[in-house]
Structure formats: structure tokens, C-alpha cells
Amino acid sequence: MVNLRDGARRIRPDTLVTEEPLEIRLGGRPLTVTMRTPGDDFDLAAGFLVSEGVVRRTEEIVSIRYCAGATDDGSNTYNVLDVALAPGVALPDTSLQRNFYTTSSCGVCGKASLDAVRTVASWPVRDDPAALGPQLLTALPDRLRARQRVFDRTGGLHASGLFGLDGALRCVREDVGRHNAVDKVVGWALRSGRLPLSGSVLVVSGRASFELVQKAVMAGIPVLAAVSAPSSLAVDLAAESGLTLVGFLRGSSMNVYTGAHRLGLSEGRA
């Protein structure tokens, strides 16, 4: 790599974040391909299935395993895994109404309509009594950043952190895709029998998209905070679902778009 700084030119190595495809199969049938950072792949697959409404309890997944012979020469790239569901768990509809191809930037794309994305949540968050002070919330991005080990080496990863209402960090996951990082956290919770994630706060290192709000709602998380901006659809879904959505959480500043009552603030407009 050629590095230019203040007119000086240097040749030096650089550490890059790994991005590889992961194919997720259900009972041997291809379901989705996502571009991800290898690591915590089982959590990623489990979290994706929670987000899509396929599973909601630990026992609904019998096994997750890497597929041997994933390449022409029979070697294992660890880029294909198969999930076995428990008997009676309905398979998702993979008709032309859904396109399960995902990328590291946008998450699931090609939904047939907005209504198709509004998956019915197993654990409604509207009535979750979670409450926390704004001061505690402003401390969480720094606590998340302190645990981003791969970001320190590459500068190219998103992170998601799950916190308790006391500010304690329960789980952190990194990935080149912001939606993958959230799925890895949700999958960790599913596989350790912690769903629903009531009374918790999800902090993400990037922006808050519609899909991240959906993933939080599907996991029963009442508070989602992002260091960057939310989208208009994210705010709409958060308002419909009763989720507290915070954006631009930087330093002592934040914008509370929905669910301000959980921070002890009144809802209203200037």
C-alpha cells in the first residue's frame, strides 16, 4: 500500500477487514447468502432466523454445522452452513416475493412491499417498562468502542453492543455489515436462551436503518441507539412498534426520535 501524508510517500502494509460470502441453508436447502466478516457465524445464522420470524426459542434449532465439501475439490471453506430446525417449525416462504440475497451494506433487499417487511413480532416492545437516564445512555458508545478489537486494527467494521439498563455490556459483535453485527448479537441471545431481550439497550456504531429497527423489535429490544442518523422508515417503524429510537448519540448529545418517555422526557415538538 502507498500511504500519502503531508506530501510524504511511504510504502507500508495495511491490515484489512475480511469480507467473505456465507451461504445459510435450512435442512440442506439454500436460504440466503450474505457478505460478512467470518466469526460468530452460528450466531449470525441464528439471529437472521429470529429477525425473519422463523424461530423464537433455542429449542427450535436442532443444530448448526458447517458443510463439508463446499468447494469443487471437496475442501471446506467454512463459508456454507446448514441449520436443522426442530420438527414442526415452519420453513420461511422463499417465493419470488422475497429476495434473500444480502450484502454487507444493505442487508436483506428486494422485499416485495413495505408490508412484507413488517414481520409480526413475537414479543411486542410497546409495553416494556424499560427506563434509563440520558446520562447513562451517552456513556454507552464509548464502552462499545472500547471493546471493538478488530476495528482497532482495521478501522473498517461496524459493531453492535447489547447493554443492560445498568449500563453493563452483555454482548458485543463486529462485522463488515451493520445488519450482520446485530444478527450476531441476537443469535447469541437465542443460543444462550436469553430471548426476549426485554429491559435492554442495543447500541450500533453506524446509522439506524429500517432493518435494524425491525431486528431490534423482533428480538424484544425496547431501546435502539445509533451514533449516526436514522432513516425515515426506521423512525416510522419505531413509532408504530413502541420502540425508543435514538440517533446521533455522540458525546453528551443525542436526538430522541421515538419513545422519549423511557428516558424520562416528554414527547413533543419544538
Side-chain angles (χ1 to χ4, degrees):
M1 180 195 72
V2 179
N3 174 256
L4 300 176
R5 177 176 294 181
D6 299 326
R9 174 179 176 272
R10 294 185 301 165
I11 305 295
R12 65 178 180 86
D14 193 19
T15 302
L16 301 178
V17 61
T18 302
E19 181 178 23
E20 295 181 0
L22 176 69
E23 179 181 337
I24 300 173
R25 299 175 181 175
L26 281 182
R29 296 173 54 190
L31 174 67
T32 185
V33 176
T34 185
M35 300 302 297
R36 99 300 189 193
T37 300
D40 302 303
D41 288 339
F42 289 8
D43 288 346
L44 172 57
F48 178 82
L49 294 177
V50 172
S51 298
E52 294 300 320
V54 179
V55 300
R56 53 177 292 182
R57 296 186 300 271
T58 307
E59 58 268 24
E60 291 180 326
I61 294 180
V62 174
S63 65
I64 305 176
R65 64 179 182 86
Y66 288 107
C67 298
T71 62
D72 292 339
D73 63 2
S75 61
N76 195 341
T77 63
Y78 295 95
N79 285 339
V80 180
L81 57 80
D82 188 54
V83 181
L85 300 178
V89 178
L91 295 175
D93 179 13
T94 56
S95 68
L96 294 179
Q97 290 184 338
R98 298 290 297 273
N99 176 2
F100 275 102
Y101 176 73
T102 68
T103 72
S104 58
S105 59
C106 74
V108 178
C109 303
K111 307 286 187 177
S113 68
L114 190 61
D115 289 339
V117 186
R118 289 192 170 98
T119 310
V120 177
S122 299
W123 306 286
V125 300
R126 182 174 300 280
D127 297 327
D128 192 307
L132 69 163
Q135 275 192 317
L136 186 146
L137 192 58
T138 59
L140 301 187
D142 285 343
R143 296 179 188 177
L144 175 61
R145 176 67 182 82
R147 293 287 299 274
Q148 290 183 249
R149 294 175 298 177
V150 181
F151 182 88
D152 287 337
R153 301 195 303 270
T154 66
L157 285 183
H158 292 284
S160 293
L162 185 72
F163 293 86
L165 297 180
D166 59 355
L169 180 61
R170 298 175 178 173
C171 178
V172 61
R173 293 290 185 267
E174 292 181 282
D175 198 277
V176 69
R178 61 175 61 87
H179 64 288
N180 288 337
V182 172
D183 276 341
K184 287 178 177 181
V185 168
V186 174
W188 163 84
L190 175 77
R191 297 178 67 222
S192 57
R194 297 171 183 261
L195 290 185
L197 291 171
S198 55
S200 61
V201 181
L202 181 66
V203 179
V204 296
S205 61
R207 61 184 178 86
S209 64
F210 177 95
E211 190 177 35
L212 296 197
V213 171
Q214 182 195 4
K215 290 178 183 297
V217 170
M218 291 299 291
I221 300 171
V223 182
L224 172 62
V227 302
S228 192
S231 68
S232 61
L233 284 179
V235 174
D236 289 345
L237 181 59
E240 290 179 15
S241 305
L243 176 86
T244 296
L245 179 59
V246 176
F248 295 106
L249 181 59
R250 302 170 184 175
S252 60
S253 176
M254 71 182 78
N255 291 345
V256 185
Y257 294 91
T258 61
H261 64 282
R262 290 196 176 96
L263 301 180
L265 308 172
S266 59
E267 305 276 357
R269 298 180 180 178

